[in-house]
Amino acid sequence: IAPEFGELSIAVDLTDVTVVENQVATFTFEPAGTPIEQLEYQWMLDGALLEGATGPTLELPVVLADDGTLVQVVAANASGAFNEIMSAEVTLTVEADTVAPEIVGAEGTPLNDRLTIAFSEEMSEAGLGEIGNYALMPTEGGEMIPAISASPAADGLSVVVIFESPMTARTRYTLMTENLTDRAATPNGLGDPT
């Protein structure tokens, strides 16, 4: 038995969204009418169909150039006679990232020759894989230990750095970094490079 479709209306319409660049903007549309679970959705950006965007929620990774984009969605069912409802057209505001990234963790291995360094946000590949951007310095003095390998994670949130020689047990080290920036349109350097 085919379900009966009621007249569609809007339970919760779209609203303008403001997000910082390189984050995800989330838009949610809630139509009313029955049966909701059988509705089809199509999202649009600046009036153009967004391929593959066919659910009640749109999660859109954004860059600074997306500022001012107009977002809208259509929900439709087929009840013998075509029945659809269109959301309000809302604006995506993308603000510049002006916050410096930070090192949020550094974890060693039993061999004491490498560190996995984690960052507070996605970092630019340009500096992340450069071995000259990393060194270890014993806190109580001694020789600097340069990096010989730097392997960034694909997401830019961490890097595995191998050093020229192992760290000495029960010795404190300072991790020295340089030329590491985030992926902002105007890149921000690390807040504290040590």
Side-chain angles (χ1 to χ4, degrees):
I1 298 176
E4 288 189 29
F5 287 92
E7 185 69 27
L8 287 175
S9 61
I10 298 174
V12 178
D13 206 350
L14 296 183
T15 58
D16 293 338
V17 170
T18 299
V19 66
V20 175
E21 67 178 305
N22 299 321
Q23 301 298 316
V24 175
T26 302
F27 297 89
T28 302
F29 182 64
E30 294 182 27
T34 57
I36 296 296
E37 62 276 358
Q38 293 185 17
L39 292 178
E40 297 174 358
Y41 299 85
Q42 180 59 64
W43 290 85
M44 295 167 284
L45 300 179
D46 291 330
L49 299 181
L50 182 58
E51 188 174 326
T54 57
T57 298
L58 175 65
E59 292 183 345
L60 187 65
V62 298
V63 294
L64 197 54
D66 294 324
D67 185 44
T69 297
L70 299 176
V71 180
Q72 196 168 31
V73 64
V74 173
N77 63 40
S79 59
F82 192 71
N83 187 4
E84 73 176 23
I85 191 163
M86 186 171 285
S87 73
E89 186 175 61
V90 297
T91 302
L92 169 61
T93 301
V94 182
E95 296 177 341
D97 175 2
T98 59
V99 177
E102 297 178 358
I103 294 174
V104 294
E107 186 175 331
T109 65
L111 297 176
N112 287 333
D113 68 341
R114 67 192 67 204
L115 287 175
T116 299
I117 304 165
F119 301 96
S120 60
E121 62 180 284
E122 295 176 1
M123 302 295 286
S124 170
E125 297 90 10
L128 212 52
E130 296 293 324
I131 62 174
N133 291 340
Y134 308 93
L136 288 173
M137 181 65 75
T139 305
E140 301 297 321
E143 294 291 318
M144 180 181 70
I145 305 173
I148 58 171
S149 172
S151 302
D155 63 9
L157 289 171
S158 65
V159 60
V160 176
V161 181
I162 300 175
F163 294 94
E164 188 175 84
S165 59
M167 293 173 271
T168 304
R170 290 184 281 289
T171 301
R172 294 181 62 90
Y173 290 86
T174 299
L175 171 65
M176 309 292 287
T177 64
E178 62 183 18
N179 302 319
L180 299 180
T181 61
D182 64 13
R183 294 182 180 177
T186 302
N188 301 295
L190 280 177
D192 180 4
T194 61

mmCIF file of all heavy atoms in Angstrom, residues 22-55:
data_model
loop_
_atom_site.group_PDB
_atom_site.id
_atom_site.type_symbol
_atom_site.label_atom_id
_atom_site.label_comp_id
_atom_site.label_asym_id
_atom_site.label_seq_id
_atom_site.Cartn_x
_atom_site.Cartn_y
_atom_site.Cartn_z
ATOM 1 N N ASN A 22 38.031 27.070 6.639
ATOM 2 C CA ASN A 22 38.591 25.728 6.823
ATOM 3 C C ASN A 22 37.853 24.913 7.879
ATOM 4 O O ASN A 22 38.386 23.927 8.381
ATOM 5 C CB ASN A 22 40.096 25.773 7.128
ATOM 6 C CG ASN A 22 40.874 26.394 5.998
ATOM 7 O OD1 ASN A 22 40.577 26.152 4.827
ATOM 8 N ND2 ASN A 22 41.843 27.222 6.327
ATOM 9 N N GLN A 23 36.645 25.326 8.217
ATOM 10 C CA GLN A 23 35.782 24.558 9.102
ATOM 11 C C GLN A 23 34.613 24.031 8.290
ATOM 12 O O GLN A 23 34.568 24.201 7.076
ATOM 13 C CB GLN A 23 35.299 25.436 10.265
ATOM 14 C CG GLN A 23 36.415 26.015 11.110
ATOM 15 C CD GLN A 23 37.264 24.954 11.786
ATOM 16 O OE1 GLN A 23 36.743 24.006 12.328
ATOM 17 N NE2 GLN A 23 38.571 25.124 11.736
ATOM 18 N N VAL A 24 33.663 23.396 8.944
ATOM 19 C CA VAL A 24 32.489 22.848 8.270
ATOM 20 C C VAL A 24 31.264 23.664 8.659
ATOM 21 O O VAL A 24 30.978 23.844 9.843
ATOM 22 C CB VAL A 24 32.280 21.365 8.641
ATOM 23 C CG1 VAL A 24 30.988 20.827 8.041
ATOM 24 C CG2 VAL A 24 33.474 20.528 8.172
ATOM 25 N N ALA A 25 30.554 24.161 7.642
ATOM 26 C CA ALA A 25 29.288 24.863 7.868
ATOM 27 C C ALA A 25 28.173 23.834 7.781
ATOM 28 O O ALA A 25 28.141 23.019 6.858
ATOM 29 C CB ALA A 25 29.089 25.943 6.809
ATOM 30 N N THR A 26 27.264 23.848 8.755
ATOM 31 C CA THR A 26 26.162 22.886 8.785
ATOM 32 C C THR A 26 24.830 23.611 8.647
ATOM 33 O O THR A 26 24.543 24.547 9.393
ATOM 34 C CB THR A 26 26.189 22.076 10.098
ATOM 35 O OG1 THR A 26 27.456 21.405 10.204
ATOM 36 C CG2 THR A 26 25.081 21.038 10.132
ATOM 37 N N PHE A 27 24.050 23.149 7.681
ATOM 38 C CA PHE A 27 22.702 23.672 7.441
ATOM 39 C C PHE A 27 21.724 22.522 7.621
ATOM 40 O O PHE A 27 21.965 21.420 7.118
ATOM 41 C CB PHE A 27 22.573 24.215 6.012
ATOM 42 C CG PHE A 27 23.467 25.385 5.720
ATOM 43 C CD1 PHE A 27 24.758 25.186 5.240
ATOM 44 C CD2 PHE A 27 23.019 26.678 5.925
ATOM 45 C CE1 PHE A 27 25.578 26.267 4.960
ATOM 46 C CE2 PHE A 27 23.838 27.765 5.650
ATOM 47 C CZ PHE A 27 25.119 27.558 5.165
ATOM 48 N N THR A 28 20.614 22.773 8.309
ATOM 49 C CA THR A 28 19.603 21.740 8.528
ATOM 50 C C THR A 28 18.230 22.296 8.177
ATOM 51 O O THR A 28 17.887 23.412 8.564
ATOM 52 C CB THR A 28 19.621 21.260 9.991
ATOM 53 O OG1 THR A 28 20.924 20.753 10.297
ATOM 54 C CG2 THR A 28 18.601 20.152 10.211
ATOM 55 N N PHE A 29 17.467 21.484 7.448
ATOM 56 C CA PHE A 29 16.124 21.850 7.024
ATOM 57 C C PHE A 29 15.159 20.779 7.508
ATOM 58 O O PHE A 29 15.409 19.592 7.316
ATOM 59 C CB PHE A 29 16.073 21.950 5.498
ATOM 60 C CG PHE A 29 14.739 22.360 4.948
ATOM 61 C CD1 PHE A 29 14.222 23.609 5.223
ATOM 62 C CD2 PHE A 29 14.010 21.505 4.143
ATOM 63 C CE1 PHE A 29 12.991 24.010 4.703
ATOM 64 C CE2 PHE A 29 12.790 21.891 3.611
ATOM 65 C CZ PHE A 29 12.285 23.146 3.897
ATOM 66 N N GLU A 30 14.074 21.199 8.156
ATOM 67 C CA GLU A 30 13.085 20.243 8.659
ATOM 68 C C GLU A 30 11.703 20.572 8.110
ATOM 69 O O GLU A 30 11.009 21.448 8.626
ATOM 70 C CB GLU A 30 13.057 20.266 10.186
ATOM 71 C CG GLU A 30 14.331 19.763 10.834
ATOM 72 C CD GLU A 30 14.251 19.764 12.343
ATOM 73 O OE1 GLU A 30 13.124 19.653 12.898
ATOM 74 O OE2 GLU A 30 15.309 19.897 12.973
ATOM 75 N N PRO A 31 11.308 19.850 7.064
ATOM 76 C CA PRO A 31 9.937 20.030 6.569
ATOM 77 C C PRO A 31 8.958 19.258 7.449
ATOM 78 O O PRO A 31 9.349 18.375 8.213
ATOM 79 C CB PRO A 31 9.992 19.451 5.160
ATOM 80 C CG PRO A 31 11.118 18.490 5.197
ATOM 81 C CD PRO A 31 12.091 18.966 6.235
ATOM 82 N N ALA A 32 7.700 19.598 7.329
ATOM 83 C CA ALA A 32 6.632 18.869 8.008
ATOM 84 C C ALA A 32 5.698 18.331 6.939
ATOM 85 O O ALA A 32 5.569 18.897 5.856
ATOM 86 C CB ALA A 32 5.878 19.790 8.962
ATOM 87 N N GLY A 33 5.051 17.238 7.246
ATOM 88 C CA GLY A 33 4.191 16.558 6.280
ATOM 89 C C GLY A 33 4.487 15.076 6.394
ATOM 90 O O GLY A 33 5.431 14.672 7.062
ATOM 91 N N THR A 34 3.705 14.257 5.758
ATOM 92 C CA THR A 34 3.925 12.825 5.939
ATOM 93 C C THR A 34 4.074 12.137 4.604
ATOM 94 O O THR A 34 3.466 12.548 3.621
ATOM 95 C CB THR A 34 2.748 12.200 6.708
ATOM 96 O OG1 THR A 34 1.556 12.472 6.000
ATOM 97 C CG2 THR A 34 2.687 12.703 8.123
ATOM 98 N N PRO A 35 4.849 11.062 4.553
ATOM 99 C CA PRO A 35 5.859 10.642 5.538
ATOM 100 C C PRO A 35 7.205 11.323 5.258
ATOM 101 O O PRO A 35 7.714 11.246 4.145
ATOM 102 C CB PRO A 35 5.947 9.139 5.348
ATOM 103 C CG PRO A 35 5.593 8.904 3.918
ATOM 104 C CD PRO A 35 4.655 10.035 3.524
ATOM 105 N N ILE A 36 7.760 11.966 6.249
ATOM 106 C CA ILE A 36 9.005 12.733 6.130
ATOM 107 C C ILE A 36 10.160 11.862 5.645
ATOM 108 O O ILE A 36 10.988 12.288 4.857
ATOM 109 C CB ILE A 36 9.365 13.395 7.485
ATOM 110 C CG1 ILE A 36 8.299 14.406 7.879
ATOM 111 C CG2 ILE A 36 10.734 14.049 7.442
ATOM 112 C CD1 ILE A 36 8.174 15.583 6.948
ATOM 113 N N GLU A 37 10.242 10.622 6.138
ATOM 114 C CA GLU A 37 11.376 9.754 5.798
ATOM 115 C C GLU A 37 11.445 9.418 4.312
ATOM 116 O O GLU A 37 12.465 8.947 3.820
ATOM 117 C CB GLU A 37 11.358 8.472 6.641
ATOM 118 C CG GLU A 37 10.131 7.597 6.433
ATOM 119 C CD GLU A 37 8.930 8.010 7.271
ATOM 120 O OE1 GLU A 37 9.033 8.964 8.068
ATOM 121 O OE2 GLU A 37 7.882 7.379 7.108
ATOM 122 N N GLN A 38 10.389 9.686 3.551
ATOM 123 C CA GLN A 38 10.415 9.383 2.117
ATOM 124 C C GLN A 38 10.611 10.626 1.251
ATOM 125 O O GLN A 38 10.478 10.560 0.039
ATOM 126 C CB GLN A 38 9.133 8.647 1.729
ATOM 127 C CG GLN A 38 9.074 7.274 2.376
ATOM 128 C CD GLN A 38 7.866 6.480 1.911
ATOM 129 O OE1 GLN A 38 7.246 6.790 0.922
ATOM 130 N NE2 GLN A 38 7.563 5.434 2.656
ATOM 131 N N LEU A 39 10.950 11.739 1.871
ATOM 132 C CA LEU A 39 11.201 12.953 1.093
ATOM 133 C C LEU A 39 12.568 12.874 0.415
ATOM 134 O O LEU A 39 13.497 12.242 0.913
ATOM 135 C CB LEU A 39 11.156 14.189 1.992
ATOM 136 C CG LEU A 39 9.792 14.548 2.565
ATOM 137 C CD1 LEU A 39 9.925 15.755 3.479
ATOM 138 C CD2 LEU A 39 8.792 14.811 1.461
ATOM 139 N N GLU A 40 12.663 13.541 -0.703
ATOM 140 C CA GLU A 40 13.933 13.678 -1.399
ATOM 141 C C GLU A 40 14.360 15.137 -1.283
ATOM 142 O O GLU A 40 13.525 16.039 -1.347
ATOM 143 C CB GLU A 40 13.774 13.278 -2.863
ATOM 144 C CG GLU A 40 13.391 11.817 -3.032
ATOM 145 C CD GLU A 40 13.104 11.460 -4.479
ATOM 146 O OE1 GLU A 40 13.161 12.359 -5.350
ATOM 147 O OE2 GLU A 40 12.813 10.281 -4.733
ATOM 148 N N TYR A 41 15.666 15.356 -1.145
ATOM 149 C CA TYR A 41 16.200 16.700 -0.954
ATOM 150 C C TYR A 41 17.198 17.015 -2.055
ATOM 151 O O TYR A 41 17.882 16.130 -2.554
ATOM 152 C CB TYR A 41 16.922 16.817 0.399
ATOM 153 C CG TYR A 41 16.032 16.559 1.582
ATOM 154 C CD1 TYR A 41 15.790 15.262 2.043
ATOM 155 C CD2 TYR A 41 15.430 17.613 2.254
ATOM 156 C CE1 TYR A 41 14.968 15.020 3.125
ATOM 157 C CE2 TYR A 41 14.610 17.388 3.355
ATOM 158 C CZ TYR A 41 14.382 16.084 3.776
ATOM 159 O OH TYR A 41 13.571 15.858 4.850
ATOM 160 N N GLN A 42 17.311 18.282 -2.392
ATOM 161 C CA GLN A 42 18.352 18.744 -3.300
ATOM 162 C C GLN A 42 18.813 20.124 -2.839
ATOM 163 O O GLN A 42 18.036 21.062 -2.781
ATOM 164 C CB GLN A 42 17.863 18.824 -4.748
ATOM 165 C CG GLN A 42 18.929 19.302 -5.719
ATOM 166 C CD GLN A 42 20.174 18.417 -5.733
ATOM 167 O OE1 GLN A 42 20.110 17.250 -6.099
ATOM 168 N NE2 GLN A 42 21.308 18.971 -5.317
ATOM 169 N N TRP A 43 20.109 20.196 -2.498
ATOM 170 C CA TRP A 43 20.705 21.444 -2.028
ATOM 171 C C TRP A 43 21.258 22.228 -3.203
ATOM 172 O O TRP A 43 21.714 21.652 -4.196
ATOM 173 C CB TRP A 43 21.812 21.159 -1.011
ATOM 174 C CG TRP A 43 21.269 20.652 0.287
ATOM 175 C CD1 TRP A 43 20.961 19.362 0.597
ATOM 176 C CD2 TRP A 43 20.940 21.424 1.434
ATOM 177 N NE1 TRP A 43 20.459 19.287 1.871
ATOM 178 C CE2 TRP A 43 20.439 20.542 2.417
ATOM 179 C CE3 TRP A 43 21.017 22.782 1.730
ATOM 180 C CZ2 TRP A 43 20.030 20.971 3.668
ATOM 181 C CZ3 TRP A 43 20.618 23.210 2.990
ATOM 182 C CH2 TRP A 43 20.127 22.314 3.941
ATOM 183 N N MET A 44 21.259 23.546 -3.059
ATOM 184 C CA MET A 44 21.771 24.442 -4.092
ATOM 185 C C MET A 44 22.677 25.499 -3.463
ATOM 186 O O MET A 44 22.395 25.990 -2.370
ATOM 187 C CB MET A 44 20.617 25.128 -4.824
ATOM 188 C CG MET A 44 19.743 24.166 -5.605
ATOM 189 S SD MET A 44 18.206 24.921 -6.144
ATOM 190 C CE MET A 44 17.288 24.941 -4.604
ATOM 191 N N LEU A 45 23.744 25.820 -4.177
ATOM 192 C CA LEU A 45 24.638 26.909 -3.794
ATOM 193 C C LEU A 45 24.601 27.944 -4.901
ATOM 194 O O LEU A 45 24.865 27.617 -6.067
ATOM 195 C CB LEU A 45 26.073 26.403 -3.601
ATOM 196 C CG LEU A 45 26.276 25.323 -2.538
ATOM 197 C CD1 LEU A 45 27.741 24.920 -2.477
ATOM 198 C CD2 LEU A 45 25.796 25.795 -1.176
ATOM 199 N N ASP A 46 24.271 29.164 -4.553
ATOM 200 C CA ASP A 46 24.140 30.248 -5.535
ATOM 201 C C ASP A 46 23.256 29.837 -6.710
ATOM 202 O O ASP A 46 23.529 30.154 -7.865
ATOM 203 C CB ASP A 46 25.517 30.707 -6.025
ATOM 204 C CG ASP A 46 26.307 31.424 -4.941
ATOM 205 O OD1 ASP A 46 25.678 32.055 -4.063
ATOM 206 O OD2 ASP A 46 27.548 31.355 -4.960
ATOM 207 N N GLY A 47 22.199 29.079 -6.422
ATOM 208 C CA GLY A 47 21.237 28.679 -7.436
ATOM 209 C C GLY A 47 21.615 27.451 -8.243
ATOM 210 O O GLY A 47 20.812 26.941 -9.016
ATOM 211 N N ALA A 48 22.831 26.947 -8.092
ATOM 212 C CA ALA A 48 23.287 25.764 -8.839
ATOM 213 C C ALA A 48 23.150 24.519 -7.963
ATOM 214 O O ALA A 48 23.451 24.552 -6.763
ATOM 215 C CB ALA A 48 24.736 25.940 -9.274
ATOM 216 N N LEU A 49 22.688 23.425 -8.564
ATOM 217 C CA LEU A 49 22.545 22.172 -7.825
ATOM 218 C C LEU A 49 23.892 21.710 -7.306
ATOM 219 O O LEU A 49 24.902 21.771 -8.015
ATOM 220 C CB LEU A 49 21.949 21.092 -8.725
ATOM 221 C CG LEU A 49 20.542 21.364 -9.284
ATOM 222 C CD1 LEU A 49 20.086 20.187 -10.133
ATOM 223 C CD2 LEU A 49 19.548 21.645 -8.175
ATOM 224 N N LEU A 50 23.912 21.241 -6.063
ATOM 225 C CA LEU A 50 25.117 20.709 -5.445
ATOM 226 C C LEU A 50 25.050 19.195 -5.543
ATOM 227 O O LEU A 50 24.257 18.548 -4.841
ATOM 228 C CB LEU A 50 25.227 21.176 -3.991
ATOM 229 C CG LEU A 50 26.464 20.737 -3.220
ATOM 230 C CD1 LEU A 50 27.741 21.208 -3.910
ATOM 231 C CD2 LEU A 50 26.409 21.270 -1.796
ATOM 232 N N GLU A 51 25.855 18.628 -6.433
ATOM 233 C CA GLU A 51 25.810 17.197 -6.705
ATOM 234 C C GLU A 51 26.071 16.381 -5.440
ATOM 235 O O GLU A 51 26.979 16.669 -4.674
ATOM 236 C CB GLU A 51 26.851 16.835 -7.764
ATOM 237 C CG GLU A 51 26.754 15.414 -8.254
ATOM 238 C CD GLU A 51 27.694 15.128 -9.407
ATOM 239 O OE1 GLU A 51 27.929 16.035 -10.223
ATOM 240 O OE2 GLU A 51 28.184 13.991 -9.469
ATOM 241 N N GLY A 52 25.230 15.369 -5.223
ATOM 242 C CA GLY A 52 25.393 14.467 -4.085
ATOM 243 C C GLY A 52 24.831 14.986 -2.777
ATOM 244 O O GLY A 52 24.845 14.284 -1.781
ATOM 245 N N ALA A 53 24.353 16.215 -2.767
ATOM 246 C CA ALA A 53 23.803 16.805 -1.535
ATOM 247 C C ALA A 53 22.295 16.575 -1.523
ATOM 248 O O ALA A 53 21.532 17.396 -2.015
ATOM 249 C CB ALA A 53 24.143 18.288 -1.460
ATOM 250 N N THR A 54 21.865 15.429 -0.984
ATOM 251 C CA THR A 54 20.463 15.017 -1.105
ATOM 252 C C THR A 54 19.842 14.584 0.217
ATOM 253 O O THR A 54 18.918 13.777 0.227
ATOM 254 C CB THR A 54 20.363 13.865 -2.130
ATOM 255 O OG1 THR A 54 21.219 12.797 -1.694
ATOM 256 C CG2 THR A 54 20.752 14.317 -3.526
ATOM 257 N N GLY A 55 20.343 15.104 1.325
ATOM 258 C CA GLY A 55 19.771 14.771 2.627
ATOM 259 C C GLY A 55 19.227 16.010 3.313
ATOM 260 O O GLY A 55 19.392 17.132 2.817
#
